[in-house]
Amino acid sequence: MPDTTYSKYLLSEDEIPKAWYNIMADMPNPPAPVLHPGTGQPVTPDDLAPLFPMSLILQEVSTERYIEIPQPIRQIYAQWRPSPLFRARRLEKALDTPARIYYKYEGVSPVGSHKANTAVAQVFYNKEAGIKKLSTETGAGQWGSALSMAGAFFDVEVEVFMVKVSYQQKPYRRNLMQTFGATVHASPTNLTDAGRSILEKDPQNMGSLGIAISEAVEVAAKSGGTTKYSLGSVLNHVLLHQTVIGQEALLQLEKADDYPDVVIGCVGGGSNMAGLAFPFMGEALRKGLRTRFLAAEPMSCPSLTKGIYAYDFGDTVGMTPLVKMHTLGHDFMPPGIHAGGLRYHGMSPLISQLHEEGIIDARAYHQNAVFAAATTFTRAEGIIPAPEAAHAIRAAIDEALEAKEAGEERVILFNLSGHGYFDMLAYENYFAGNLQDYEYPADAVAAAQQRLPQIV
Ligand SMILES: *Cc1c(COP(=O)(O)O)cnc(C)c1O
């Protein structure tokens, strides 16, 4: 019987997971290989060595079920972990639903999102390998601030290429990174060949995550080994680091004497959804449970629901290895009218494959419906969600309303990946009626397919 009193489930510091959970140990099929862009052959760890320290490369390809979390990382995690799991009792009441809704709240990290979980791990392993500097990209600024914080903790320099439109519209995230001591550029810049090649064709280019990744990768690749590159989502080792979220949630739901029928996360590159869902998915795959997994994405950047499952570059210019994923095409330019993050052309290869195999379901939402859900949630639960996380809330509310319709006691778990206190401009625009619903056109997806790299 589910517990009927409590609304908040906390764990003690020694219940912070001691290992990350690796879904590759339990997937029905092995992951598709990552290919070298020049040869079309599977990449070797040595091919990736200019960009990442060997410890992270080995995690990227590991099939061990559990990978131990070094003590210094757990010690830093302890500042905000274990994060709380809430039962959204007032939201349930507001929706008048028989569903039980739980959310794991990752906005309690100092930078306000789950991104800190992998930032700390990545900087730790780079520091251990003697790396002095990391280059990275950031869209809305969440990842850049997380890596900048971790850089400050370990005394590793951080250089951030921030998508120009966000650099101009979101000064406070930029200021936060600078406060942590990072250097922040508006991308595309004229500091890299990649940036210059974009600006030559289009001097007014406002940037994209794909372009910023090209710039950050180039800085690391040309550094002669002093600088490595760091990515905040998409890659297997990033998803791995986020699994502390789901492992804690498993324990917390045990205390609540409950178990989810559906586990929901918003997806940009896939890391917060994977972080919550993979530990439950592993259990479902091993025990034959029928837990559903639902990825929520924006209509304006619908990689999973409309993208093509194919080999593509992770960046715009074409410098990264080729990964098999759902993609809108590496030259995708996000529509400027969209408020939230979640604007990457690709998707985590692990999430993509699990979607292709029918294990993860996906739905796309318009932004006005997403902000309506965020507002309902805030009025019931008090927390302003990040616009990205609000996609998961939309999906969770829809599930709860379906359960009401069906008269079903559905148990819903979603990841509240971050707070939205730096995103109040988006809320202001929503209340002013200035957000447009925009559906990424099918012919743009078809056209992008023509420009995908040819695999021989
Ligand atoms: C970056 C970010 C996302 C999207 O990235 P994922 O890798 O898909 O999790 C979602 N929510 C928040 C709060 C973020 O900062």
Side-chain angles (χ1 to χ4, degrees), residues 113-115 142 233 266-272 342 386 388 417-418:
S113 81
H114 68 288
K115 298 256 173 40
Q142 295 261 25
S233 186
C266 67
V267 288
S271 73
N272 87 84
L342 310 181
E388 296 89 341
S417 51

Side-chain angles (χ1 to χ4, degrees), residues 51 126 130-135 147 155-161 183 185 219-220 223 225-230:
L51 297 185
N126 274 285
I131 299 307
K132 301 273 185 289
K133 181 175 154 184
L134 287 168
S135 64
L147 194 71
D155 196 21
V156 169
E157 207 182 314
V158 174
E159 183 173 8
V160 184
F161 291 85
T183 307
H185 311 290
V219 165
S223 72
T226 58
T227 301
K228 298 278 184 208
Y229 166 69
S230 183

Side-chain angles (χ1 to χ4, degrees), residues 344-410:
Y344 180 59
H345 67 271
M347 179 53 60
S348 139
L350 290 177
I351 296 270
S352 293
Q353 184 167 329
L354 290 160
H355 177 54
E356 205 60 20
E357 288 169 352
I359 296 170
I360 296 177
D361 220 355
R363 280 187 215 155
Y365 300 91
H366 276 306
Q367 57 179 348
N368 280 295
V370 164
F371 276 89
T375 306
T376 303
F377 178 83
T378 299
R379 290 176 189 176
E381 298 295 314
I383 301 168
I384 299 251
E388 296 89 341
H391 290 73
I393 298 176
R394 177 74 265 167
I397 289 181
D398 286 356
E399 285 280 341
L401 294 175
E402 275 172 38
K404 177 179 171 178
E405 193 91 345
E408 234 180 75
E409 279 194 24
R410 199 174 292 184

Side-chain angles (χ1 to χ4, degrees), residues 90-305:
R90 290 185 301 275
L91 179 63
E92 290 169 13
K93 203 173 250 173
L95 301 172
D96 187 25
T97 175
R100 296 191 291 280
I101 307 173
Y102 295 89
Y103 60 97
K104 183 76 166 152
Y105 185 38
E106 290 296 310
V108 291
S109 85
V111 288
S113 81
H114 68 288
K115 298 256 173 40
N117 299 328
T118 184
V120 168
Q122 291 190 44
V123 178
F124 169 84
Y125 288 113
N126 274 285
K127 177 79 180 184
E128 196 184 50
I131 299 307
K132 301 273 185 289
K133 181 175 154 184
L134 287 168
S135 64
T136 198
E137 71 291 323
T138 197
Q142 295 261 25
W143 168 241
S145 23
L147 194 71
S148 302
M149 178 188 78
F153 289 171
F154 288 101
D155 196 21
V156 169
E157 207 182 314
V158 174
E159 183 173 8
V160 184
F161 291 85
M162 184 174 190
V163 176
K164 190 180 279 174
V165 62
S166 302
Y167 185 93
Q168 291 172 356
Q169 289 176 2
K170 301 199 166 182
Y172 298 131
R173 279 271 169 207
R174 183 198 341 139
N175 299 154
L176 180 55
M177 292 183 257
Q178 289 162 339
T179 307
F180 283 125
T183 307
V184 189
H185 311 290
S187 165
T189 71
N190 54 21
L191 300 170
T192 63
D193 289 342
R196 283 187 292 268
S197 76
I198 299 285
L199 289 174
E200 250 164 50
K201 280 180 244 153
D202 175 14
Q204 305 308 319
N205 189 295
M206 291 307 283
S208 72
L209 266 179
I211 295 169
I213 293 174
S214 297
E215 293 207 90
V217 165
E218 183 180 327
V219 165
K222 289 186 175 164
S223 72
T226 58
T227 301
K228 298 278 184 208
Y229 166 69
S230 183
L231 185 62
S233 186
V234 180
L235 298 176
N236 303 348
H237 68 267
V238 180
L239 275 56
L240 174 81
H241 298 156
Q242 295 296 350
T243 59
V244 288
I245 302 171
Q247 292 185 78
E248 288 175 4
L250 271 168
L251 271 182
Q252 287 163 311
L253 280 169
E254 209 173 282
K255 295 196 183 212
D257 206 3
D258 221 343
Y259 201 85
D261 295 306
V262 58
V263 180
I264 300 171
C266 67
V267 288
S271 73
N272 87 84
M273 193 233 173
L276 178 66
F278 281 1
F280 288 90
M281 202 178 289
E283 195 163 86
L285 289 166
R286 290 193 304 273
K287 297 183 182 170
L289 308 180
R290 294 170 57 191
T291 319
R292 288 188 294 123
F293 300 94
L294 177 58
E297 65 180 10
M299 281 278 192
S300 60
C301 185
S303 350
L304 273 182
T305 49

